[in-house]
Amino acid sequence: MDLLPDIWRQEYWLPPGVTWRDVEQLAESDRPRPHDLLVALPLALGFVALRYMFERFIAPPMGRCLGVKKRLQVTAAPSPKLEVFYSQRSRQPTQSDIVSLMSLCGKTQRQIERWFRLRRNQDRPCQTKKFGEAAWRFFFYLTAFMSGLACLVVRPWFWDLRECWRRYPFQPMERAHYWYYMLELGFYGSLLLRISVDIKRKDFKEQVIHHLATIFLLSFSYCANYIRIGTLVMLLHDSSDILLESAKMFNYGTGWRKTCDTLFVVFAVAFLVTRLVIFPSKIIHTTLVLSMEAFEPFFGYYFFNVLLMVLQVLHIFWAGLILRMVYKFLKGKLEKDERSDEESEIEEDDKGGEENMDQGEDYCLEKSKNNLNSQLSMLTNNCVLNNLTNHRASVADRMRKAQ
């Protein structure tokens, strides 16, 4: 039952030979304390409220300036029985489900399949919602990166990574770095709080793992006073995320294709360089190798590096998606963001162009009917005219013979 005191055993958090009493030599305002992390909870709620205000009052006029338009949708006809099945059982009915629904609703297979496609389309987020989410993240990442760069560029460990471990763990914490940590923790906490209502994309599970790993990484590095290397990790990640969100903002607009393509190319280069080159060769090398010049490995050393490895695995996963996008871009076929801009169901619903066909099916059928009716009318009129002409000719012929 003494689990909580065991968690804070100094062997877990501090290098061999260092105790909590030694760390207490620093002033309270200069050393990180675990209960400081509680500040991130109200900050997360504050970010949720601030994001709501941003997406409601600031993002819409920005979207109109970029030409963001809502997608016109054909709504599914009201059907209580199909709606119950859709909401309670499955959004993707199997063939056996369709057969049972045919007898239950008195509809054909084609009508049921089309109803489910239209119903799924109704649940897809509109362009304005996706633009608002991208704009919010863009402004946060831009603000966090500029603020972090301003408070780190004058610090010695920004230029010499060995300074991250000099006199560790007796390194005083600056207030700017404290707030840098708390704001980043609060932001990622707000992403988890809104995860059930945010847009679910193809990499949804990887995003959840990323957010959790980031929160654990920030929390542990703060308590273990890995603040210097932690600030560099945050700054490195924010740098390329700015470009990603800005590219998505222009992608949702109208008439910004060249700007979007340019930002995408810059983002792809920045992501591959920062996540696949700088992160493993500088950050992970620093925590794995250079840190052992200052202390012997301990539990915190291994735990911190495992979390960094988890992030690196996610970097490789996203790099694969980006390289696919680069391949499509070079072939001139890039239309969607493979990483974060494509909803998880689009591929399933767009097989063979069925979605576009179904959204315009009513119009096409009506147009076909009108064309058919007009053609039948013309044919009928031609037949009538021919019959009248033939009749008149026969009457005239008979009159000539009678004369």
Side-chain angles (χ1 to χ4, degrees):
M1 301 299 292
D2 255 348
L3 180 61
L4 189 58
D6 286 343
I7 290 178
W8 299 108
R9 289 177 59 179
Q10 58 197 26
E11 293 86 357
Y12 296 160
W13 300 86
L14 301 174
V18 181
T19 65
W20 288 116
R21 184 166 295 181
D22 296 332
V23 177
E24 289 176 358
Q25 295 176 6
L26 294 171
E28 284 195 6
S29 59
D30 292 340
R31 70 173 186 267
R33 294 166 296 177
H35 65 264
D36 292 341
L37 299 177
L38 297 176
V39 176
L41 297 177
L43 285 176
L45 296 175
F47 273 123
V48 171
L50 186 61
R51 175 178 172 177
Y52 173 80
M53 301 295 290
F54 180 91
E55 293 182 350
R56 184 175 179 85
F57 298 106
I58 299 178
M62 290 177 55
R64 287 192 292 270
C65 292
L66 294 181
V68 179
K69 299 177 182 179
K70 287 187 177 182
R71 181 179 57 189
L72 297 177
Q73 293 181 338
V74 179
T75 60
S79 178
K81 295 178 181 179
L82 294 179
E83 185 66 36
V84 170
F85 184 95
Y86 178 87
S87 58
Q88 297 182 4
R89 292 188 58 182
S90 175
R91 301 173 62 182
Q92 297 278 356
T94 62
Q95 187 62 35
S96 59
D97 293 331
I98 293 177
V99 171
S100 61
L101 289 172
M102 288 169 58
S103 59
L104 181 65
C105 303
K107 296 179 180 292
T108 64
Q109 177 177 343
R110 177 64 178 170
Q111 289 174 330
I112 292 176
E113 291 175 347
R114 179 174 179 274
W115 188 93
F116 275 93
R117 278 195 294 271
L118 294 178
R119 185 63 182 82
R120 286 191 295 267
N121 289 339
Q122 289 179 224
D123 287 344
R124 287 184 184 162
C126 60
Q127 293 288 83
T128 54
K129 178 177 175 61
K130 292 190 287 186
F131 176 85
E133 179 179 309
W136 164 250
R137 297 192 184 199
F138 168 78
F139 275 102
F140 174 81
Y141 290 135
L142 179 63
T143 304
F145 176 76
M146 298 303 295
S147 302
L149 184 63
C151 67
L152 289 176
V153 71
V154 295
R155 301 297 181 266
W157 65 85
F158 183 82
W159 306 101
D160 183 6
L161 295 178
R162 281 185 168 84
E163 291 292 332
C164 292
W165 311 110
R166 193 178 302 278
R167 298 187 67 250
Y168 177 83
F170 308 106
Q171 297 171 338
M173 176 185 63
E174 300 182 24
R175 299 308 294 175
H177 302 152
Y178 163 82
W179 283 111
Y180 191 21
Y181 255 80
M182 294 303 109
L183 290 174
E184 289 276 357
L185 269 173
F187 176 74
Y188 283 102
S190 69
L191 294 182
L192 284 180
L193 290 176
R194 283 185 53 97
I195 203 165
S196 60
V197 296
D198 276 346
I199 301 170
K200 291 185 178 181
R201 300 183 171 93
K202 290 177 64 177
D203 60 349
F204 173 75
K205 294 180 181 179
E206 289 79 9
Q207 285 284 357
V208 174
I209 295 173
H210 173 267
H211 297 340
L212 291 174
T214 301
I215 290 175
F216 276 114
L217 181 65
L218 293 177
S219 301
F220 179 82
S221 63
Y222 181 83
C223 294
N225 203 12
Y226 282 177
I227 291 179
R228 292 186 178 183
I229 192 67
T231 53
L232 296 179
V233 172
M234 292 187 293
L235 187 70
L236 189 69
H237 281 72
D238 291 341
S239 61
S240 58
D241 288 337
I242 297 172
L243 298 169
L244 170 65
E245 302 303 333
S246 61
K248 290 200 291 187
M249 289 169 58
F250 284 101
N251 182 52
Y252 299 140
T254 303
W256 299 94
R257 176 51 53 189
K258 291 184 178 180
T259 304
C260 177
D261 291 345
T262 303
L263 288 171
F264 164 71
V265 172
V266 177
F267 158 72
V269 173
F271 184 92
L272 296 176
V273 171
T274 56
R275 308 295 178 91
L276 298 189
V277 179
I278 297 178
F279 188 79
S281 65
K282 298 296 183 180
I283 302 298
I284 295 182
H285 178 263
T286 299
T287 58
L288 276 176
V289 180
L290 297 185
S291 62
M292 289 194 292
E293 297 178 0
F295 55 80
E296 297 180 4
F298 62 105
F299 174 81
Y301 165 87
Y302 295 110
F303 185 71
F304 186 71
N305 281 288
V306 165
L307 292 176
L308 291 179
M309 294 296 183
V310 171
L311 287 182
Q312 185 59 28
V313 170
L314 294 173
H315 295 165
I316 295 173
F317 168 79
W318 283 316
L321 296 181
I322 291 173
L323 290 176
R324 284 176 56 189
M325 295 167 61
V326 171
Y327 176 74
K328 292 182 179 180
F329 178 78
L330 294 176
K331 293 183 65 176
K333 295 180 180 180
L334 179 62
E335 295 179 356
K336 298 173 184 176
D337 178 355
E338 296 276 353
R339 173 176 180 258
S340 301
D341 194 22
E342 181 178 1
E343 284 69 42
S344 59
E345 294 180 357
I346 287 183
E347 289 187 354
E348 299 174 1
D349 290 345
D350 283 351
K351 295 177 181 177
E354 288 182 350
E355 177 188 337
N356 294 332
M357 179 187 68
D358 286 327
Q359 287 185 354
E361 189 177 69
D362 288 340
Y363 173 75
C364 293
L365 288 176
E366 188 64 30
K367 186 175 181 181
S368 298
K369 291 178 180 177
N370 292 336
N371 290 336
L372 182 60
N373 290 334
S374 62
Q375 291 175 3
L376 289 174
S377 299
M378 292 174 62
L379 181 61
T380 303
N381 292 334
N382 288 335
C383 293
V384 171
L385 290 174
N386 290 334
N387 289 335
L388 288 174
T389 303
N390 293 334
H391 179 69
R392 289 175 181 174
S394 61
V395 170
D397 187 55
R398 286 197 300 269
M399 289 179 65
R400 283 195 299 269
K401 289 179 179 181
Q403 293 174 357

